[in-house]
Amino acid sequence: MNGSSIIATIRTSTMRTPAAIMKHVESFHFRCFLLTKPFSSFPSSLPIDPEPPDHDLPLLLHSILSKPNWQKHPSLPKLLPSISPSHVHSLFSLNPYLLPQTALDFSYWISQKPTFKHSVYSYSALLNILVAYKFFGPADKIRLAMIKSSASIHESRFVFELLMEMNKNEQLHSCFKLSLRSYNFLLMSLSKFLMIDEMKSVYSEMLNNRVSPNIFTWNTMVNGYCKIGNVVEAQRYVTKIVQAGLNPDTFTYTSLILGHCRNKDVDSAFRIFRMMPSKGCRRNEVSYTNLIHGLCEAERVDEAIKLFEAMGEDFCYPTVRTYTVIIFGLCETGRKSEGIKLFKEMSQKGCEPNAHTYTVIIDSLCKDNKVDEAREMVGRMLGKGLVPSVVTYNALIDGYCKHGAMEAALEVLGTMESNNCFPNERTYNELIAGFCKKNVHKAMAFLDKMLELKLVPNVVTYNSLIHGQCKMGQLDNAFRLLEMMKENGLVPDQWTYSVLIDSLCKVDRIEEARNLFDSLKEKSLKANEVIYTALIDGYCKVGKIEDANYLLDRMINQGCLPNSCTYNAIIDGLCNMKNMKEALSTVKKMAGMGVKPTVDTYTIFIKWMLKEGDFDHAHGNLDQLISSGCQPDVLTYTAFIRAYCGSGRLKEAEDMMIRMKEEGVFPDSLTYTLLLDAYGCLGLMHSAFDVLKCMFDAGCEPSHHTYSILFKYLLKDRGTKDDSPAVNLVSNGMLFDHADVWKSMEFDTALELFEKMRQHGCVPNANTYGKLIIGLCKVGRFVVVQKLFDHMRDQGISPGEDAYNSLLNCFCELGMYDDAMIVVDLMIKSSQLPYLDSYRQLICGLYDQGDKEKVDTLFANLLRCGYSSDEVAWKILIDGLLKKGLADRCSELLSIMEKMGCQLHPNTYSLLIEGIDGA
């Protein structure tokens, strides 16, 4: 029975006079009023409204309700679209003496409107009024409606606490205690959200109040425990059913099947399933579906399909959930085509897919790199009137993020929010992981957004951000995030420390990495193979093979088995030291440990052999690689192409390029650039530009090194014609300094490049201009850069974030702060985020020039751009001003942050105060 029909059955109850009883119930009413405040006590349980509710509306409604024939009041039709459950809650809570019949009539009237649905809070406020006036019959029905309307764990807990409080009230105990029916519905609501401790409390209270449980009660307890896989505790309640002289029914056994499956004991679930007919219990669709689900989770999909096909023997027919479970099992075990086929068959057999079924297919398509097809599937969902859930949108967002299509991911986020589907922690974790690959500042901004929405970042959130900061070379920020993580009560895991140790090794901070590694023991954290491998690789990269081998032995002694990556790190280190004998010995040790050589193992040896000019042995290793069942990858083929190009054997290099494409291996930017350079070295510029065309056609972006090589040969041609010194740039063939090319390049050389590119079908794009700008900015050629920017604008091309940031960094390095500020303004207008390192340089530079007013304006504008407040404080205030000894200036900017409402983590704030006080 829904809320509307319940209110309809009780709205005609006889009204009692409140005067005699109000005095006695006042204290109880106040207590209930405190419990029913949704805005202070339970903010996360209410939908997030774009604007706060109109607080005048409850007052206006009370004024209308105080008049006779209020239903005919002319203002009501206009107010109706604006009335929300929170308004109704406020109306009843702020007016506890409202006549109960009026309150009931209004509740019924508003519940009949299609756009309105009562919440637990509006029901609770109505319940207070009915109880105060001793309208216990209607109040009991409202109590049931309130229990049934619980839509989240927060709401269910609110109802539980309210009813337990009411049940303890001595004045109400005799006349308004919970009935068996109310207890059973409350247990069912708690079970829905796996609130087992609360279920135990309710069951105990039933017994204490001498309310005898029935089979519905015990079955609900059995089901609750089975949902969390606690079959032992569930069996205790099955025993109570038998002790009461009753027989377990289909619901009981179906719950036990679920419990065994949740406990990953599918065979026991099967025994229960087979036993049911002998116990006189019919197996129903849920019995089948629970067991099918358990089989699918155990990857016994073929058995699940057999059971699915046998449902008709029990006169059962697959439900939408049955189909969904099978489709999910097929997709998860790599049988996606079968899953999609079954998805199409559903409708033909009269079972329409629901939102969950579509979500399974959408998630599978995204994991299969078919994100656009997945988005089309969302469109089909909407066309059928189905509402995508947060899980559906998350699957799509994750798919785009994994492909680096962050604009598309943000579009999905916008669609999601416009459809009143609110992002959760997983949504933001996926966006953060995606942005960490491209722009860690935007990723950090999403951390602030999470906190603003009262979402709780977890270990996954911080690990992504730590990894993102490390990739950007911002190790100080990574360690600050580590401290923030600990302060928030989260325990860093093995992945956290593996990223930090690996990043320290990559910048030759080996001793710090070792100290962090040694600290794991006192943190009660055992190093895994990833952590060991990161440190072993670090030692090998700096030639400390003995230390690496010592760690390898320690790793094995502590029961942590090395993997192929561990051994490959040592083999690579030995090859770099030209110790081939020991490298080959390590391969034998590797085999002795049951670890097979991988494509990387073979490629390490191939690269070394090619470096030594031993092409025959390199090809022998390539053949061995293939015969072992491995497939050469882009690094393997590129090693051969590099060697052939370097030795002038261009035909072999071309053949290797053809071979790799035939094998389905796609060349990367380095592979193409090597071949392009080889053609240029031989003066075959037409062929070099053909390679560039192949890059464009393959969607492989040329790097600024690719373009510098093209400029190298264009400058060579000029040098040959006019005896320019630029010819010296290519005297060593492939060995040259890229910086010299950029220093020699003029704007007309860029125009010449663009013309030749067009002649070969390569139209210069934003990436082309961006890479040229990056290369020129590295050597301070801002005059040429400015001309390129003007030329871009004339061609209708917008500069990318990397190009702008390179120019900004160039101006800051050269002390051209006014020009830098212009670039910042252009970036902000284009919705692009300047790197905070550049902001730090710019702000410190402006302070050195005495331009305090410019700093204040610049900093205030920066804070409006959506950066993480903590990251701004770290990079600009701590790493910038405090390191330069500008404590007073730091304090001034901190005041601006506080005035603008920036929220800093307590750990960041402590660092700032310590730094300011210390100075």
Side-chain angles (χ1 to χ4, degrees):
M1 189 182 289
N2 62 33
S4 303
S5 54
I6 289 168
I7 292 170
T9 62
I10 60 180
R11 64 193 291 264
T12 55
S13 302
T14 306
M15 188 173 72
R16 296 185 181 89
T17 305
I21 62 168
M22 284 310 283
K23 184 177 177 183
H24 302 290
V25 299
E26 224 168 63
S27 62
F28 166 73
H29 193 288
F30 178 69
R31 202 158 50 241
C32 285
F33 174 69
L34 288 177
L35 276 170
T36 56
K37 284 186 179 178
F39 303 113
S40 58
S41 303
F42 299 92
S44 59
S45 62
L46 289 179
I48 300 165
D49 294 323
E51 293 182 10
D54 182 355
H55 295 293
D56 292 334
L57 191 53
L59 296 174
L60 187 54
L61 286 172
H62 181 252
S63 172
I64 292 169
L65 293 179
S66 63
K67 294 176 173 55
N69 298 319
W70 55 265
Q71 294 95 331
K72 296 179 180 178
H73 197 285
S75 299
L76 271 179
K78 295 176 186 175
L79 294 175
L80 182 60
S82 304
I83 301 173
S84 70
S86 61
H87 292 128
V88 176
H89 166 266
S90 297
L91 167 68
F92 292 151
S93 296
L94 297 171
N95 301 285
Y97 303 117
L98 187 68
L99 294 178
Q101 192 63 54
T102 303
L104 280 170
D105 287 345
F106 176 72
S107 293
Y108 172 73
W109 178 83
I110 191 69
S111 68
Q112 294 298 295
K113 310 307 171 188
T115 57
F116 185 90
K117 184 181 178 184
H118 274 291
S119 70
V120 293
Y121 306 110
S122 57
Y123 275 132
S124 67
L126 175 59
L127 184 62
N128 285 346
I129 292 173
L130 298 176
V131 169
Y133 280 87
K134 294 192 176 180
F135 263 47
F136 295 129
D140 184 50
K141 292 182 174 66
I142 291 297
R143 179 167 59 188
L144 280 173
M146 179 177 70
I147 294 169
K148 291 176 184 179
S149 67
S150 297
S152 69
I153 190 169
H154 302 295
E155 292 184 3
S156 191
R157 182 171 287 114
F158 167 80
V159 171
F160 162 75
E161 290 174 355
L162 173 62
L163 295 184
M164 291 300 98
E165 180 75 16
M166 292 178 80
N167 226 34
K168 289 173 186 172
N169 185 275
E170 293 180 7
Q171 297 170 21
L172 292 175
H173 187 72
S174 59
C175 50
F176 194 59
K177 67 180 182 181
L178 284 165
S179 63
L180 174 60
R181 191 166 182 236
S182 296
Y183 273 121
N184 283 342
F185 274 104
L186 181 56
L187 284 170
M188 195 161 62
S189 172
L190 296 169
S191 173
K192 182 180 177 182
F193 300 107
L194 306 181
M195 300 168 70
I196 307 302
D197 290 338
E198 288 84 354
M199 287 179 71
K200 285 166 67 177
S201 297
V202 171
Y203 185 80
S204 297
E205 177 132 335
M206 278 183 75
L207 300 182
N208 292 338
N209 288 335
R210 297 193 175 131
V211 177
S212 298
N214 60 11
I215 193 166
F216 187 94
T217 317
W218 288 313
N219 270 342
T220 305
M221 295 302 291
V222 169
N223 187 251
Y225 279 107
C226 285
K227 280 179 178 177
I228 61 170
N230 190 345
V231 182
V232 174
E233 196 64 28
Q235 287 285 4
R236 285 185 60 233
Y237 291 94
V238 176
T239 303
K240 292 179 189 297
I241 293 173
V242 176
Q243 288 171 346
L246 301 168
N247 292 320
D249 58 14
T250 296
F251 188 92
T252 321
Y253 288 119
T254 297
S255 293
L256 290 172
I257 290 169
L258 172 68
H260 284 302
C261 288
R262 289 279 163 90
N263 215 18
K264 303 191 185 303
D265 184 3
V266 184
D267 292 331
S268 293
F270 241 130
R271 279 195 294 274
I272 298 284
F273 181 80
R274 292 191 188 103
M275 183 181 71
M276 285 177 72
S278 67
K279 296 290 183 180
C281 289
R282 178 183 173 271
R283 295 183 292 222
N284 62 16
E285 284 82 1
V286 183
S287 316
Y288 273 97
T289 302
N290 283 351
L291 186 52
I292 287 168
H293 193 193
L295 288 165
C296 287
E297 287 195 325
E299 297 187 4
R300 292 160 62 174
V301 180
D302 288 328
E303 291 175 71
I305 291 170
K306 278 186 183 177
L307 198 62
F308 174 79
E309 291 169 347
M311 287 180 74
E313 294 172 12
D314 276 325
F315 302 101
C316 292
Y317 299 95
T319 64
V320 65
R321 175 161 165 72
T322 321
Y323 275 108
T324 303
V325 163
I326 288 276
I327 290 167
F328 179 77
L330 288 166
C331 290
E332 283 295 292
T333 52
R335 298 162 66 174
K336 295 180 182 180
S337 59
E338 292 175 67
I340 291 170
K341 183 183 175 186
L342 190 58
F343 173 77
K344 291 174 181 175
E345 286 176 6
M346 281 180 73
S347 298
Q348 295 167 7
K349 294 187 177 179
C351 186
E352 286 297 326
N354 63 11
H356 188 198
T357 323
Y358 273 100
T359 299
V360 169
I361 296 294
I362 288 163
D363 184 52
S364 177
L365 288 168
C366 288
K367 286 175 179 172
D368 216 21
N369 302 330
K370 297 176 180 177
V371 191
D372 292 334
E373 284 183 46
R375 195 158 189 177
E376 286 175 19
M377 192 67 77
V378 172
R380 283 172 58 186
M381 270 185 84
L382 294 166
K384 288 182 177 287
L386 296 172
V387 180
S389 68
V390 66
V391 181
T392 319
Y393 286 115
N394 283 352
L396 203 52
I397 287 170
D398 188 46
Y400 280 123
C401 288
K402 280 188 167 63
H403 284 79
M406 299 313 299
E407 289 302 318
L410 290 176
E411 277 179 30
V412 176
L413 179 67
T415 303
M416 180 180 183
E417 291 174 329
S418 67
N419 289 337
N420 292 319
C421 180
F422 300 103
N424 59 14
E425 284 86 353
R426 183 165 179 178
T427 319
Y428 282 100
N429 280 347
E430 286 163 356
L431 288 164
I432 284 168
F435 274 114
C436 278
K437 296 172 188 172
K438 290 200 164 189
N439 190 322
V440 76
H441 295 328
K442 289 182 181 177
M444 288 290 296
F446 274 109
L447 175 64
D448 279 13
K449 186 69 175 172
M450 281 184 82
L451 298 170
E452 182 187 319
L453 294 175
K454 303 289 189 290
L455 296 173
V456 182
N458 55 22
V459 174
V460 174
T461 319
Y462 283 103
N463 280 352
S464 294
L465 290 167
I466 287 169
H467 190 225
Q469 294 286 0
C470 288
K471 276 183 71 179
M472 287 275 291
Q474 303 290 345
L475 265 70
D476 288 345
N477 282 359
F479 278 99
R480 285 161 181 155
L481 281 165
L482 179 68
E483 291 307 310
M484 186 186 286
M485 188 177 179
K486 293 176 187 173
E487 287 284 329
N488 289 350
L490 295 170
V491 180
D493 60 12
Q494 293 168 321
W495 171 248
T496 320
Y497 288 106
S498 68
V499 168
L500 290 166
I501 288 168
D502 184 52
S503 299
L504 287 167
C505 290
K506 279 185 167 69
V507 292
D508 294 336
R509 292 163 63 176
I510 307 294
E511 289 310 310
E512 291 175 68
R514 182 57 188 260
N515 291 338
L516 187 58
F517 174 85
D518 291 338
S519 74
L520 296 181
K521 190 174 181 182
E522 64 195 47
K523 295 178 175 71
S524 301
L525 196 65
K526 190 176 180 181
N528 62 7
E529 70 276 9
V530 179
I531 294 173
Y532 272 110
T533 301
L535 192 53
I536 286 169
D537 186 54
Y539 277 127
C540 290
K541 288 283 193 293
V542 294
K544 294 186 175 183
I545 303 294
E546 287 183 13
D547 291 311
N549 278 319
Y550 169 79
L551 262 184
L552 178 64
D553 291 339
R554 176 175 162 181
M555 180 180 182
I556 294 167
N557 291 335
Q558 292 194 353
C560 182
L561 295 178
N563 57 23
S564 59
C565 295
T566 319
Y567 285 109
N568 286 342
I570 292 175
I571 292 167
D572 190 47
L574 289 165
C575 285
N576 287 332
M577 295 179 70
K578 300 188 176 182
N579 191 343
M580 281 298 289
K581 184 179 177 182
E582 191 61 33
L584 291 168
S585 174
T586 303
V587 175
K588 290 179 182 176
K589 289 178 188 174
M590 184 177 176
M593 292 292 292
V595 181
K596 290 182 179 179
T598 64
V599 61
D600 292 331
T601 318
Y602 287 104
T603 301
I604 290 165
F605 283 108
I606 287 168
K607 282 169 71 177
W608 185 83
M609 290 166 184
L610 291 170
K611 199 173 181 181
E612 296 295 307
D614 191 349
F615 285 89
D616 290 339
H617 276 97
H619 272 286
N621 264 266
L622 179 62
D623 294 339
Q624 195 178 343
L625 184 162
I626 295 166
S627 63
S628 72
C630 296
Q631 287 298 317
D633 63 11
V634 65
L635 296 176
T636 317
Y637 286 113
T638 301
F640 277 101
I641 290 168
R642 179 192 289 275
Y644 283 131
C645 289
S647 58
R649 297 165 65 174
L650 200 52
K651 178 68 171 64
E652 284 101 324
E654 290 170 341
D655 291 343
M656 192 59 75
M657 181 74 92
I658 292 166
R659 179 175 171 179
M660 74 184 288
K661 288 180 179 178
E662 287 174 348
E663 293 295 327
V665 180
F666 298 102
D668 62 12
S669 179
L670 175 60
T671 322
Y672 281 116
T673 302
L674 289 166
L675 196 57
L676 183 150
D677 190 22
Y679 283 126
C681 193
L682 295 173
L684 303 171
M685 290 304 292
H686 191 280
S687 297
F689 277 100
D690 283 344
V691 173
L692 186 69
K693 176 69 164 62
C694 288
M695 289 184 81
F696 269 66
D697 292 344
C700 178
E701 288 189 356
S703 68
H704 63 280
H705 290 311
T706 313
Y707 288 112
S708 75
I709 285 168
L710 287 168
F711 281 124
K712 174 178 71 170
Y713 294 114
L714 290 175
L715 290 167
K716 178 188 175 183
D717 286 346
R718 285 189 173 193
T720 304
K721 291 170 185 174
D722 59 13
D723 202 26
S724 164
V727 71
N728 294 327
L729 288 168
V730 290
S731 57
N732 293 321
M734 290 177 66
L735 301 173
F736 74 101
D737 188 345
H738 289 278
D740 287 343
V741 173
W742 296 114
K743 286 176 186 174
S744 303
M745 185 191 139
E746 298 296 339
F747 178 62
D748 59 348
T749 322
L751 294 180
E752 184 183 346
L753 172 71
F754 295 158
E755 181 55 36
K756 289 187 179 293
M757 285 177 68
R758 288 190 188 93
Q759 288 171 8
H760 287 81
C762 310
V763 179
N765 54 25
N767 175 64
T768 311
Y769 284 93
K771 293 300 188 287
L772 267 57
I773 287 164
I774 289 168
L776 290 162
C777 284
K778 283 179 183 291
V779 295
R781 299 295 309 284
F782 67 88
V783 174
V784 181
V785 169
Q786 183 60 60
K787 290 180 180 178
L788 277 172
F789 265 101
D790 292 341
H791 195 264
M792 274 186 91
R793 189 171 58 249
D794 293 343
Q795 299 296 313
I797 300 172
S798 300
E801 204 162 62
D802 288 343
Y804 268 131
N805 271 310
S806 293
L807 182 58
L808 176 59
N809 181 64
C810 177
F811 283 143
C812 288
E813 290 284 347
L814 295 170
M816 300 171 64
Y817 301 122
D818 288 337
D819 293 288
M821 288 185 72
I822 292 169
V823 175
V824 168
D825 283 341
L826 287 170
M827 290 187 76
I828 291 171
K829 284 172 185 173
S830 303
S831 301
Q832 296 176 345
L833 290 183
Y835 291 146
L836 286 175
D837 278 329
S838 297
Y839 262 124
R840 185 191 69 237
Q841 279 184 288
L842 179 53
I843 285 170
C844 290
L846 289 170
Y847 271 137
D848 288 343
Q849 289 183 175
D851 288 331
K852 180 183 176 304
E853 287 184 9
K854 285 183 180 178
V855 171
D856 290 349
T857 304
L858 179 71
F859 191 67
N861 288 337
L862 178 158
L863 296 177
R864 296 186 187 99
C865 291
Y867 291 93
S868 159
S869 299
D870 287 297
E871 198 180 20
V872 169
W874 296 339
K875 294 307 300 175
I876 295 174
L877 305 192
I878 296 172
D879 293 346
L881 302 179
L882 288 179
K883 278 191 179 176
K884 283 178 70 75
L886 301 174
D888 290 343
R889 300 305 187 203
C890 176
S891 185
E892 288 167 4
L893 295 193
L894 179 58
S895 296
I896 291 175
M897 291 186 79
E898 289 169 342
K899 285 174 187 173
M900 292 183 68
C902 297
Q903 298 292 319
L904 292 176
H905 190 275
N907 201 49
T908 305
Y909 204 81
S910 296
L911 289 172
L912 283 166
I913 299 305
E914 285 170 18
I916 292 168
D917 289 347

